[in-house]
């Protein structure tokens, strides 16, 4: 069997797919006079379409005292305009045979419907309506803020791992609003008012701060025409200047412990690292991406093979990194120790794996393997209209532009073993590190576990 | 109305419906391989990729009573060492060609899936490994010991979670003294020996019981070759009979304390077997009750009107033996009692009245209208066809789906619900709460 992986270029792979239009021409882009950008990717594989509206407004744009308002407003977007009543939006989408939802992140808020293709026009009409005409009824707000508090209890307060991640971010970031949870602090939710939601909506929900993405069995010219018809009449308004709130350089390790009802300890390590700012000139973010794949890209990657399988130090061990973000970047390492092993031992094990890469580098074979997975993943992504719409929207709202995706793949494929070793050495160091540890607390009335069961 | 007019009106209505919603499912080719495995194939050359799923009647309901967790552990070790290749070589070689092996175990079924690019040099490597994973797993002793320990650790952790505790208590209460009601415990996993895995594999992963679903970039003759190649060396084990029909539980409420901020509530009973003629009436009816997302009655009453919960739902899970009907929600513990009362009121009202004409129409319109969304990717086609394949549903199940939905009347819904949901058999589990 071959050990050196001869590469199939992504271009060659795409050529294997019969497109009705040249691959390079798709997606298509158009900007309205009011600043709204519309991107359409034609995909004729099924008579459906994914329609998304992205706003460049996320939890990082919130201020102290009103954290969680970006997400709360996302909920309120379903509560009616003068044209359609509270709850009618979902009813109309359902009647059209569609599925819809929305999500909020640190960087953005996005809304989407998946519909039979002939219903796209109606979805665009509905989204354009609520882009600028949301009612924000106080009574609806009273109920919906309760729902958001239940969501916080479900997803964070009662989930030790989520609570750990929340604490880690709050300690790793001190000046930058990435320190704040997307769901918001509970007390801020308790003291939120409908006026807070209104202020947020007026400030950020304008066509010049939004992107419309459509992927599916559609004709781009027709979609542009519909965009002009429904989104075109909306007035633009300048968005306020955003304070940079740059995170000052970290110059020493930080540690935080969280106690919660649980059984397994968790070690979560986060290093401050760069993200892509210049698609073409940057080097380090691509190398970091490859590093995370080499550490955790498959079951025989470094962490799984060494820490879980061979040393049995960990019952789980993983790494993660996102190269695109509006704010600062983090490289994550996370795991739980095996029975009878301590969190300190696991942390030492993670450090040893990093040190090994700094000392000996990574092999050409490992790097080629990570690249093979990357290229295959680009093809698999084409099986999902929604995944393609997600990628386009994220790249646009971050500010890199959707056309960056091809360049990014090429840059990833060009990463060298030397640069992977280099970024590990420069960035995975204590001065950039925050370590968060989950200290499991037994449930009241938990049966005592016999000590013998822990030993192997 | 005279009979003639009624007939004309009905015909006209049917014509309108048929032309609006005429969506056929994918073309499914079917044969039995010489190995005895049944094969279902959807040819699709739009993308250079291939998805294959192989299903066995090797789900958790097949666990011996004292060794719950055996089915799952056996499945997990399939790709952790095969003849001629250890677990790390398997994972590395798959990654080299960009292929992915995945799968899962539920109470009925064990699934092993492969996703690969379809160009020959990639595909052949991936298929070779996939065949070995299915046909020659080695269950190495040291790997087994390690995975057992990982399972126990992970299980102990999940047993602290209110949602896990609620789910296990629900299945146990809904299926007392039945294979569906059992869950793995640290003790039951500790009791499993390596020989148990080999025996389970031999007994349950035979070719005659295997179902192969293939979607993607292959020709028919290539698919025939692939399906045979994958199943030719499967063990010759005989099919074990599935569990008996469960007896219905008596209504009752189980309360389990937990320090979480939210109470987790589950209500249900055994309700629906795959292939049951009431399936469509129950699906259409459930849309109104709690399956239709934001537009359902449960959502309206529990979330929208009162803000009690972020998530509240109802569904039917059709299985080989009658699978559960379930209502679920999570709410601040102080209001668990109130939320439970509202939920029960919604259910009893629905059982008594069924959906209104408007609700029925909305349900059908959405289920029929959204049908293309179920099939707009290879992955979704694979999932749908594998269910048809494993449960022996008719091959035209997808083609006739919309028609079957359109036929349902409000009377059908009321009757089907009264047959399948009885208040005297409904079990309630509350974890947390005051």
């Amino acid at each position: 069997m071959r050990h050196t992986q001869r590469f199939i270029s992504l271009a060659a792979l795409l050529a294997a797919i019969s497109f009705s239009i040249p691959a390079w021409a798709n997606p298509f882009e158009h900007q309205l006079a009011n600043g709204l950008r519309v991107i359409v990717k034609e995909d004729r594989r099924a008579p459906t379409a994914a329609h998304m509206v992205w706003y460049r407004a996320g939890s990082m744009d919130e201020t102290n005292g009103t954290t969680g308002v970006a997400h709360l407003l996302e909920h309120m977007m379903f509560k009616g305009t003068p044209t359609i009543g509270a709850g009618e939006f979902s009813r109309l989408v359902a009647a059209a045979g569609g599925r819809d939802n929305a999500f909020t992140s640190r960087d953005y808020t996005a809304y989407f419907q998946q519909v039979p293709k002939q219903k796209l026009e109606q979805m665009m009409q509905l989204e354009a309506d609520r882009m600028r005409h949301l009612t924000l009824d106080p009574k609806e707000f009273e109920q919906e803020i309760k729902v958001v508090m239940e969501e916080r209890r479900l997803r964070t307060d009662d989930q030790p791992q989520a609570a750990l991640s929340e604490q880690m971010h709050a300690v790793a970031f001190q000046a930058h609003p990435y320190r704040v949870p997307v769901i918001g602090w509970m007390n801020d939710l308790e003291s939120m008012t409908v006026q807070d939601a209104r202020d947020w909506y007026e400030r950020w929900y304008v066509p010049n701060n939004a992107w419309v993405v459509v992927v599916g069995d559609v004709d781009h010219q027709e979609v542009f025409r519909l965009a002009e018809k429904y989104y075109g009449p909306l007035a633009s308004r300048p968005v306020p200047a955003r304070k940079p709130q740059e995170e000052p350089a970290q110059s020493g390790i930080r540690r935080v412990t969280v106690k919660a009802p649980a059984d397994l300890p968790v070690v979560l390590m986060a290093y401050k690292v760069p993200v892509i700012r210049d698609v073409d000139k940057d080097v380090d973010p691509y190398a970091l991406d490859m590093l995370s794949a080499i550490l955790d890209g498959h079951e025989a990657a470094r962490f799984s093979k060494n820490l879980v399988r061979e040393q049995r130090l960990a019952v789980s061990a993983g790494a993660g990194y996102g190269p695109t973000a509006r704010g600062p970047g983090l490289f994550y390492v996370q795991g739980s120790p095996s029975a009878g092993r301590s969190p300190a031992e696991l942390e030492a094990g993670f450090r040893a794996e990093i040190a090994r890469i700094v000392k000996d580098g990574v092999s050409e074979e490992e790097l080629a393997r990570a690249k093979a997975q990357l290229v295959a993943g680009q093809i698999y992504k084409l099986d999902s209209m929604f995944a393609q719409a997600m990628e386009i929207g994220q790249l646009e709202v971050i500010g890199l532009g959707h056309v960056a995706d091809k360049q990014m793949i090429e840059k990833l494929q060009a990463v060298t073993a030397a640069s992977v070793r280099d970024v590990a050495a420069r960035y995975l160091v204590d001065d950039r590190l925050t370590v968060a540890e989950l200290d499991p607390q037994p449930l009241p009335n938990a049966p005592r576990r016999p000590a013998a069961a822990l030993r192997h | 109305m005279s009979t003639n007019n009624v007939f004309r009106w009905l015909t006209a209505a049917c014509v309108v419906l048929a032309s609006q919603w005429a969506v056929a499912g994918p073309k499914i080719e079917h044969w039995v391989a010489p190995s005895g495995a049944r094969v279902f194939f959807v040819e699709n050359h739009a993308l250079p990729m291939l998805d294959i799923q192989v299903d066995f009647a090797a789900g958790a309901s097949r666990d011996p009573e004292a060794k719950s967790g055996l089915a799952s552990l056996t499945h997990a070790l399939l790709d952790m060492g095969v003849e001629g290749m250890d677990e790390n070589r398997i994972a590395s070689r798959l990654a080299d060609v960009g292929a992915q092996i995945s799968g899962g175990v539920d109470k009925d079924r064990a699934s092993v899936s492969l996703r690969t690019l379809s160009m020959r040099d990639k595909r052949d490597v991936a298929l070779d490994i996939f065949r070995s994973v299915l046909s020659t797993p080695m269950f190495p002793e040291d790997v087994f010991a390690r995975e057992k320990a990982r399972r126990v650790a992970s299980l102990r952790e999940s047993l602290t979670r209110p949602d896990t505790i609620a789910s296990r208590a629900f299945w146990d209460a809904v299926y007392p003294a039945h294979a569906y009601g059992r869950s793995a415990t640290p003790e039951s996993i500790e009791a499993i020996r390596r020989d148990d895995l080999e025996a389970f594999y031999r007994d349950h992963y035979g070719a005659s019981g295997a179902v192969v679903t293939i979607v993607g970039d292959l020709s028919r003759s290539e698919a025939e070759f692939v399906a045979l190649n994958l199943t030719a060396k499967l063990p010759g084990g005989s099919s074990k009979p599935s569990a008996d029909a469960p007896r219905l539980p008596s209504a009752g409420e189980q309360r389990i304390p937990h320090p979480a901020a939210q109470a987790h509530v589950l209500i249900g009973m055994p309700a629906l077997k795959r292939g049951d003629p009431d399936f469509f009436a129950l699906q259409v009816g459930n849309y109104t009750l709690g399956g239709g997302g934001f537009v359902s009655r449960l959502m309206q009453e529990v979330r929208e009107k009162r803000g009690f919960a972020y998530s509240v739902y109802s569904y039917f899970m059709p299985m080989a033996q009658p699978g559960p009907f379930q209502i679920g929600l999570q709410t601040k513990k102080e209001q668990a009692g109130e939320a439970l009362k509202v939920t029960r009121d919604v259910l009893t009202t629905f059982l008594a009245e069924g959906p209104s004409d408007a609700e029925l129409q909305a349900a059908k319109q959405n289920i029929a209208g959204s049908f293309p969304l179920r099939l707009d990717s290879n992955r979704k086609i694979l999932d749908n066809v594998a269910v048809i394949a494993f449960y022996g549903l008719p091959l035209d199940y997808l083609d006739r789906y919309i028609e079957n939905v359109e036929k349902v009347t409000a009377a059908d819904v009321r009757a089907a619900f009264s047959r399948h949901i009885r208040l005297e058999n409904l079990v309630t589990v509350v974890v947390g709460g005051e």
Side-chain angles (χ1 to χ4, degrees):
Chain A
M1 289 192 222
R2 277 183 294 188
H3 292 282
T4 43
Q5 192 56 42
R6 190 162 50 83
F7 238 147
I8 293 186
S9 75
L10 189 56
L13 269 177
L14 288 174
I17 304 163
S18 43
F19 287 122
S20 55
I21 35 122
W24 55 263
N26 203 12
F28 303 89
E29 192 172 337
H30 174 64
Q31 185 164 29
L32 308 187
N34 60 17
L36 181 79
R37 274 146 293 201
V38 186
I39 296 128
V40 180
K41 187 170 187 184
E42 296 183 358
D43 183 338
R44 307 279 181 192
R45 294 172 60 237
T48 64
H51 170 242
M52 306 189 80
V53 180
W54 294 72
Y55 294 92
R56 185 180 281 164
S59 63
M60 69 169 276
D61 303 296
E62 294 169 352
T63 50
N64 278 348
T66 43
T67 63
V69 67
H71 171 250
L72 177 277
L73 194 277
E74 180 221 300
H75 276 239
M76 292 306 296
M77 282 283 273
F78 293 86
K79 298 299 186 171
T81 68
T83 321
I84 64 170
E88 271 309 293
F89 189 97
S90 294
R91 209 179 311 278
L92 288 167
V93 173
R99 296 179 190 158
D100 73 321
N101 214 321
F103 50 88
T104 309
S105 81
R106 293 186 158 85
D107 291 346
Y108 49 71
T109 312
Y111 304 81
F112 66 89
Q113 305 84 37
Q114 290 173 276
V115 285
K117 63 178 183 177
Q118 67 270 23
K119 298 294 180 180
L120 176 63
E121 176 167 2
Q122 185 187 11
M123 297 302 111
M124 294 176 79
Q125 179 180 28
L126 288 170
E127 281 289 5
D129 179 38
R130 67 179 181 178
M131 182 179 279
R132 285 273 69 231
H133 306 122
L134 196 63
T135 302
L136 286 162
D137 176 79
K139 286 211 165 38
E140 294 293 338
F141 169 83
E142 290 302 322
Q143 291 306 82
E144 203 58 23
I145 192 70
K146 287 186 202 160
V147 173
V148 170
M149 288 193 241
E150 291 302 332
E151 190 180 347
R152 199 201 138 90
R153 289 181 190 109
L154 181 69
R155 290 202 202 276
T156 305
D157 295 346
D158 288 345
Q159 301 260 15
Q161 294 233 8
L164 185 71
S165 175
E166 183 176 84
Q167 284 298 304
M168 185 277 287
H169 283 91
V171 169
F173 296 113
Q174 296 176 342
H176 194 278
Y178 267 11
R179 65 183 175 77
V180 154
V182 175
I183 190 83
W185 301 113
M186 185 57 103
N187 190 249
D188 282 357
L189 296 176
E190 287 162 351
S191 36
M192 198 168 304
T193 66
V194 71
Q195 189 58 44
D196 294 326
R198 199 166 286 127
D199 290 343
W200 179 266
Y201 180 71
E202 290 302 324
R203 191 176 309 135
W204 302 119
Y205 279 59
V206 288
N208 46 300
N209 195 40
W211 287 257
V212 171
V213 180
V214 177
V215 177
D217 187 7
V218 298
D219 170 66
H220 66 279
Q221 297 288 16
E222 176 64 8
V223 176
F224 293 156
R225 188 187 69 75
L226 291 172
E228 287 287 359
K229 178 177 176 186
Y230 293 110
Y231 293 104
L234 301 175
S236 67
R237 182 162 62 219
V239 295
R242 303 174 203 247
K243 298 282 188 190
Q245 301 183 86
E246 254 181 46
E247 182 68 18
Q250 184 176 339
S251 57
I253 193 169
R254 295 173 189 171
R255 291 189 179 271
V256 59
T257 302
V258 173
K259 291 183 177 178
D263 194 81
L264 272 179
V266 177
V267 174
L268 173 58
M269 300 164 72
Y271 295 91
K272 300 269 177 65
V273 296
V275 293
I276 298 172
R277 292 287 176 239
D278 185 320
V279 174
D280 196 45
K281 294 200 177 71
D282 284 349
V283 171
D284 292 351
Y286 301 107
L288 286 163
D289 205 11
M290 281 291 132
L291 175 61
S292 81
I294 287 170
L295 290 174
D296 190 23
H298 54 88
E299 298 293 321
R302 295 258 181 145
F303 278 171
S304 174
K305 179 166 180 287
N306 298 338
L307 299 176
V308 178
R309 292 182 163 185
E310 277 167 25
Q311 297 172 37
R312 314 213 175 169
L313 172 55
V315 291
S316 65
Y321 169 66
T324 58
R326 285 174 57 205
L330 285 177
F331 191 99
Y332 302 93
V333 166
Q334 176 171 333
S336 286
S338 300
R341 310 296 290 269
S342 71
E345 284 179 84
L346 178 57
E347 186 183 327
F350 279 133
R351 287 166 176 282
E353 286 301 315
I354 292 166
R356 192 178 318 183
I357 291 186
V358 171
K359 178 170 171 294
D360 301 327
V362 299
S363 68
E364 291 298 335
E365 186 181 325
E366 283 173 301
L367 192 54
R369 187 166 296 138
K371 292 174 183 179
Q373 287 185 299
L374 169 73
V375 170
Q378 295 304 303
I379 296 297
Y380 300 145
K381 181 186 67 192
L382 297 177
D383 190 39
S384 166
M385 291 187 197
F386 186 73
Q388 292 170 82
M390 280 291 300
E391 185 181 66
I392 291 169
Q394 281 176 313
L395 287 173
E396 284 293 322
V397 92
I398 298 298
L400 297 177
H402 69 91
V403 293
D405 67 338
K406 289 181 184 51
Q407 174 72 337
M408 285 166 61
I409 299 297
E410 280 172 33
K411 293 280 292 189
L412 283 164
Q413 287 180 263
V415 168
T416 64
S419 65
V420 173
R421 179 182 189 173
D422 175 58
V423 292
R426 276 192 291 124
Y427 295 110
L428 304 192
V429 295
D430 272 10
D431 285 353
R432 295 173 167 270
L433 174 61
T434 302
V435 182
E437 190 181 309
L438 178 68
D439 180 4
Q441 303 299 298
L443 263 59
N445 311 316
R448 293 239 161 269
R449 196 185 324 155
L454 291 172
R455 302 287 171 251
H456 287 101
Chain B
M1 251 193 260
S2 73
T3 333
N4 272 346
N5 286 345
V6 168
F7 181 75
R8 262 206 299 268
W9 178 83
L10 280 173
T11 317
C14 285
V15 166
V16 165
L17 287 170
S19 64
Q20 189 179 5
W21 301 124
V23 176
K27 173 160 162 273
I28 304 171
E29 297 182 66
H30 168 51
W31 64 92
V32 180
S35 59
R38 290 181 295 130
V39 188
F40 296 76
F41 172 51
V42 176
E43 191 168 347
N44 187 333
H45 301 284
L47 290 174
M49 55 187 279
L50 184 55
D51 284 298
I52 304 177
Q53 181 166 325
V54 185
D55 292 327
F56 302 91
S61 61
R62 307 292 170 139
D63 287 341
E65 205 163 328
K67 299 193 179 186
S68 279
L70 176 57
S72 181
L73 204 42
T74 304
H75 175 272
L77 259 82
L78 290 177
D79 69 343
M80 293 189 182
V82 302
E83 205 171 79
M85 251 195 195
D86 74 6
E87 57 181 350
N88 292 323
R89 185 111 185 95
I90 291 168
S92 299
R93 280 307 276 142
L94 284 170
D96 281 340
V97 296
Q100 300 158 350
I101 286 184
S102 60
V105 172
D106 63 26
K107 302 221 184 233
D108 285 344
R109 180 166 59 145
S111 303
V112 193
S113 307
L114 173 74
R115 167 162 272 196
T116 176
L117 299 174
S118 58
M119 46 288 299
R120 287 302 297 259
D121 61 334
K122 313 267 181 252
R123 175 185 109 195
D124 287 352
V125 170
L127 285 171
D128 204 54
I129 296 172
F130 193 47
R131 189 198 61 228
S132 297
V133 164
L134 292 167
S135 316
T136 62
M138 302 300 284
F139 307 112
E141 179 70 61
D142 56 340
V143 172
F144 165 68
R146 179 194 76 214
E147 290 303 309
K148 237 174 78 159
R150 286 181 79 201
R151 292 236 152 186
V152 168
S154 160
L155 183 55
R156 286 195 199 282
E157 170 61 27
S158 72
L159 287 170
T160 66
R161 318 277 327 109
D163 49 345
T164 303
I165 296 168
S167 176
R168 291 164 65 100
F170 174 82
W171 283 92
D172 181 55
V174 169
Y175 295 97
H178 187 273
Y180 278 176
R182 295 197 288 262
S183 303
T185 63
E187 295 71 33
S188 72
I189 294 180
E190 291 288 3
I192 297 170
R193 299 278 161 269
R194 184 196 163 277
D195 290 348
D196 295 326
L197 270 68
E198 276 210 349
F200 190 89
Y201 168 76
R202 263 197 324 269
D203 289 344
H204 295 91
Y205 283 75
S208 60
V211 178
V212 181
T213 307
I214 304 175
V215 176
D217 187 22
L218 281 181
S219 68
R220 164 72 187 241
S221 59
E222 286 174 321
E224 287 185 28
F225 177 81
V226 164
L228 176 57
N229 192 252
L230 288 176
T231 56
K233 293 282 191 333
L234 287 176
S238 55
S239 266
K240 299 290 187 209
S242 61
D244 293 334
R247 63 172 173 80
L248 295 178
S250 308
E253 202 171 287
Q254 193 183 358
R255 291 192 173 255
I256 302 169
H258 194 282
Q262 283 191 322
H264 288 238
V265 178
L266 292 173
I267 302 170
M269 60 177 285
L272 184 60
K273 196 168 164 171
R274 276 284 178 193
D276 189 312
D278 284 336
F279 174 83
F280 289 98
L282 292 174
Q283 285 294 103
V284 171
N286 186 64
Y287 180 93
T288 298
L289 174 59
F294 288 105
V295 305
S296 73
R297 286 197 190 180
L298 281 172
M299 264 290 192
Q300 285 302 306
E301 295 299 320
V302 178
R303 173 169 159 161
E304 299 294 287
K305 277 193 194 157
R306 296 173 174 84
F308 277 166
Y310 169 69
S311 161
V312 58
Y313 59 85
S314 68
Y315 68 80
F316 288 90
M317 186 191 285
M319 293 171 66
Q321 290 301 329
F325 167 75
Q326 185 183 88
I327 291 177
L329 68 115
Q330 311 84 33
T331 188
K332 190 169 67 172
K333 62 201 311 172
E334 295 81 7
Q335 63 201 15
E338 231 185 306
L340 187 48
K341 182 178 180 309
V342 170
T343 302
R344 283 180 171 144
D345 287 346
V346 170
L347 176 63
T348 23
T349 306
F350 185 78
L351 290 174
E353 299 171 357
S356 67
D357 287 339
E359 284 173 319
L360 183 71
Q361 180 54 31
K364 289 188 190 180
Q365 194 164 331
N366 174 265
I367 296 172
S370 64
F371 186 75
L373 298 180
R374 294 172 188 255
L375 299 169
D376 65 353
S377 73
N378 286 1
R379 169 76 74 210
K380 292 180 190 178
I381 293 171
L382 182 81
D383 290 345
N384 276 285
V385 175
V387 165
I388 290 170
F390 180 76
Y391 286 105
L393 301 178
L395 272 189
D396 64 354
Y397 175 79
L398 292 170
D399 299 324
R400 304 196 57 203
Y401 195 94
I402 291 175
E403 172 197 329
N404 282 322
V405 164
E406 290 291 346
K407 281 197 303 216
V408 171
T409 66
D412 292 336
V413 171
R414 280 196 305 277
F417 268 77
S418 73
R419 278 193 285 274
H420 293 263
I421 309 295
R422 305 266 178 81
L423 294 176
E424 64 263 29
N425 300 116
L426 272 181
V427 158
T428 302
V429 170
V430 179
V431 175
E434 306 286 68

